Amino acid sequence: MATYVLVHGGGHGGWCWQRLTPLLRAAGHEVYTPTLTGLGERAHLLSPDIDLDTHIADVVGVLTYEGLTEVVLVGHSYGGMVITGVADRAADRVGRLVYLDAAIPEDGQSLVAVAGMLMAAARAGSRVVDGVELVLWPDSDAVRYYGVTDPDDVSWMWDKLTPHPWKCFEQPLRLNDPAALTRIPRAEIHTTSSLAMSPPGTAEALAGKEQTWVVDAGHDLMVTAPKAVAEILLGLV
């Protein structure tokens, strides 16, 4: 039996995994889907202090207090920033990293540095509420990047999406031991929609990499292609 910890991306919450988790649990595995502070059902905890370090601590806390080890730590989108920090802080609890159409940062990089054009588009629709700069509002153009087009899916997501603190995206990730991080096995799952917006040659470069998959889906593939994602995740353990 494996233990999966699924970390959502910007503007989402643990709810976004609802179509994927039953498939993993049906195969006999444990699944945890924490919601990061200030988002989803934890939106009432929003404050000016929330940043990338806050979200890393959220997930480290789950691993620690649940007594989890050898976890398959999956991060979607911004969640790639988070799981990289978690693996650095709690390397002894992480068995594998999975980047699900996610940012794959190096030491000292922020999400703005990793995905500058997308972050610029997100910030164009920012609003300040109670001293917190928030982006990815559900009614902004930025959410088109999620790649969810089915009206029923859009309706299901609409009242669950929450704006995200900009501070999380501009804070650089600081690693304590970058070398140790590279020793943790990792896998990458990309989408055709994201590759279409990537620099020329990206898809060709990925074709030669081990433990790398491309799913024909939009960015929120855990919503639109859960069976394809589950098949890959189950094949890793």
Side-chain angles (χ1 to χ4, degrees), residues 93-156:
R93 295 184 179 274
V94 179
R96 182 181 297 272
L97 291 168
V98 181
Y99 292 88
L100 185 63
D101 217 34
I104 307 177
E106 297 180 359
D107 186 29
Q109 285 189 317
S110 65
L111 188 59
V112 171
V114 174
M117 290 182 63
L118 290 173
M119 291 299 95
R123 198 174 195 186
S126 72
R127 307 173 201 170
V128 177
V129 178
D130 295 332
V132 184
E133 183 178 4
L134 298 169
V135 297
L136 300 182
W137 289 83
D139 60 353
S140 70
D141 288 340
V143 300
R144 295 179 182 177
Y145 176 63
Y146 298 154
V148 180
T149 57
D150 182 90
D152 290 338
D153 289 342
V154 172
S155 177
W156 177 72

Side-chain angles (χ1 to χ4, degrees), residues 1-68:
M1 180 182 70
T3 301
Y4 294 90
V5 177
L6 312 179
V7 181
H8 64 83
H12 290 57
W15 59 265
C16 72
W17 306 105
Q18 288 179 17
R19 298 180 181 180
L20 176 63
T21 53
L23 304 177
L24 301 178
R25 288 173 177 149
H29 303 298
E30 286 191 328
V31 187
Y32 292 80
T33 58
T35 292
L36 303 175
T37 302
L39 300 165
E41 76 275 13
R42 306 185 69 205
H44 64 288
L45 299 175
L46 187 66
S47 81
D49 298 326
I50 294 173
D51 57 14
L52 174 59
D53 284 337
T54 306
H55 292 160
I56 292 171
D58 283 339
V59 181
V60 170
V62 172
L63 303 188
T64 302
Y65 286 94
E66 295 290 348
L68 306 181

Side-chain angles (χ1 to χ4, degrees), residues 173-195:
L173 175 66
R174 301 299 180 187
L175 301 176
N176 298 318
D177 192 347
L181 186 64
T182 63
R183 293 193 286 270
I184 299 175
R186 67 173 57 187
E188 300 175 21
I189 304 173
H190 300 268
T191 64
T192 50
S193 65
S194 293
L195 289 178

